[in-house]
Amino acid sequence: MTTETANAEMSVLDATGLNCPLPILRTKKAIGGLASGTVLKVLTTDPGSVEDIASFCRQTGHELLSSRTAGGTFEFEIRRG
């Protein structure tokens, strides 16, 4: 199940349990609705997300602030360009 939670400074996209290409598609949709400079935190369980998110940021001009793994969950923080 995917959920999105927003506050004034950061939004969270929970894409855990989804397989490629859904995490990156949901990320693209979620970040598109944010103001420039806002940070999107993305949670996934798909190992392919590591390269997909990095490539997405390079291609779209968004800044990948962090990328880490904890207990099988991949966590990314992306600042919208």
Side-chain angles (χ1 to χ4, degrees):
M1 175 174 259
T2 302
T3 59
E4 293 178 43
T5 307
N7 67 32
E9 299 175 13
M10 182 182 289
S11 292
V12 177
L13 171 65
D14 182 352
T16 57
L18 300 177
N19 294 318
C20 187
L22 291 176
I24 196 67
L25 293 174
R26 301 280 171 92
T27 298
K28 182 178 179 180
K29 181 178 178 183
I31 208 163
L34 300 177
S36 182
T38 303
V39 175
L40 176 65
K41 182 176 186 177
V42 181
L43 306 172
T44 73
T45 49
D46 180 13
S49 298
V50 175
E51 182 54 37
D52 290 346
I53 296 287
S55 293
F56 170 74
C57 289
R58 281 192 303 272
Q59 293 173 4
T60 59
H62 303 304
E63 181 181 1
L64 182 57
L65 300 173
S66 69
S67 175
R68 57 188 160 264
T69 305
T73 300
F74 304 95
E75 182 179 306
F76 310 92
E77 288 186 5
I78 305 166
R79 184 185 321 274
R80 187 181 196 297

